[in-house]
């Protein structure tokens, strides 16, 4: 191929297949280093590329942070090259706890006094919180009088 080769920087798209141990999950954003790759090839081919996929990172029974190297997918086109060929990934993992909240449902702003019958008077919701945050919240409540006085 004798076409002029051009250079383009594109974001890496991390492909994953994760299963976490119960009550563990990703706690913050994934960090890729580098987050971009340099793709070289004919302009007509580069125009079709908006990101570059990784090989699929498969992890099972996760309960700790994931730090490691991941390979980038090889190009299907012989005249396209990608640099670098791998990158480092950091995925923070923490334990979560489930909290349930019961929220009363009430009619407000019924200025016309319409006759409204509520079928649901209490809404039960469950939320996942990072266990670290719950511990910090409890610690701040315990030590609050000492901080105020």
């Amino acid at each position: 191929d004798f076409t002029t080769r051009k250079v383009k920087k594109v974001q890496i798209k991390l492909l994953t297949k994760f299963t976490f141990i119960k009550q563990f999950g990703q706690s913050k954003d994934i960090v890729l280093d580098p987050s971009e790759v340099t793709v070289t090839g004919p302009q007509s081919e580069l125009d079709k590329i908006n990101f570059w996929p990784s090989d699929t990172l498969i992890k099972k029974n996760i309960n700790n942070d994931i730090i490691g190297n991941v390979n980038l997918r090889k190009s299907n086109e012989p005249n396209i090259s990608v640099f670098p060929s791998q990158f480092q990934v950091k995925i923070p993992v923490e334990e979560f706890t489930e909290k349930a909240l019961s929220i009363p449902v009430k009619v407000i702003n019924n200025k016309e006094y319409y006759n409204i019958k509520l079928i649901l008077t209490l809404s039960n919701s469950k939320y996942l919180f990072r266990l670290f945050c719950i511990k910090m919240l409890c610690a701040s409540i315990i030590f609050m009088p000492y901080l105020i006085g």
Side-chain angles (χ1 to χ4, degrees):
D1 187 10
F2 295 107
T3 58
T4 306
R5 294 177 64 79
K6 300 287 184 179
V7 176
K8 181 177 182 179
K9 282 194 174 275
V10 294
Q11 293 290 315
I12 295 172
K13 181 175 182 180
L14 177 63
L15 303 177
T16 62
K17 195 172 191 180
F18 292 156
T19 57
F20 292 91
I21 289 178
K22 187 175 181 178
Q23 295 202 228
F24 282 86
Q26 180 183 327
S27 59
K28 295 179 186 170
D29 291 337
I30 295 172
V31 177
L32 307 180
D33 184 30
S35 61
E36 295 181 325
V37 292
T38 303
V39 183
T40 309
Q43 187 67 50
S44 60
E45 293 294 324
L46 294 181
D47 290 341
K48 301 174 192 174
I49 300 170
N50 297 317
F51 62 87
W52 198 266
S54 70
D55 287 344
T56 302
L57 178 60
I58 300 171
K59 296 283 184 184
K60 296 180 181 182
N61 300 323
I62 301 168
N63 65 350
N64 287 316
D65 292 350
I66 299 169
I67 300 173
N69 292 325
V70 180
N71 291 323
L72 290 163
R73 193 168 284 168
K74 303 274 189 260
S75 174
N76 294 333
E77 301 293 326
N79 55 353
I80 297 286
S81 58
V82 180
F83 181 81
S85 61
Q86 63 177 309
F87 60 97
Q88 186 179 58
V89 63
K90 295 178 185 175
I91 304 171
V93 174
E94 287 186 45
E95 187 173 3
F96 286 75
T97 187
E98 189 175 274
K99 294 291 180 187
L101 296 176
S102 295
I103 304 166
V105 179
K106 296 179 181 178
V107 177
I108 61 170
N109 295 328
N110 186 9
K111 295 177 182 168
E112 302 295 326
Y113 299 104
Y114 292 116
N115 190 13
I116 299 172
K117 181 175 176 138
L118 294 175
I119 297 171
L120 180 68
T121 58
L122 198 62
S123 173
N124 294 315
S125 300
K126 291 183 180 180
Y127 299 92
L128 283 177
F129 293 96
R130 290 176 29 208
L131 194 58
F132 175 77
C133 292
I134 297 295
K135 288 178 183 175
M136 292 300 291
L137 179 63
C138 290
S140 66
I141 290 170
I142 291 168
F143 293 109
M144 185 92 58
Y146 298 108
L147 296 174
I148 295 172

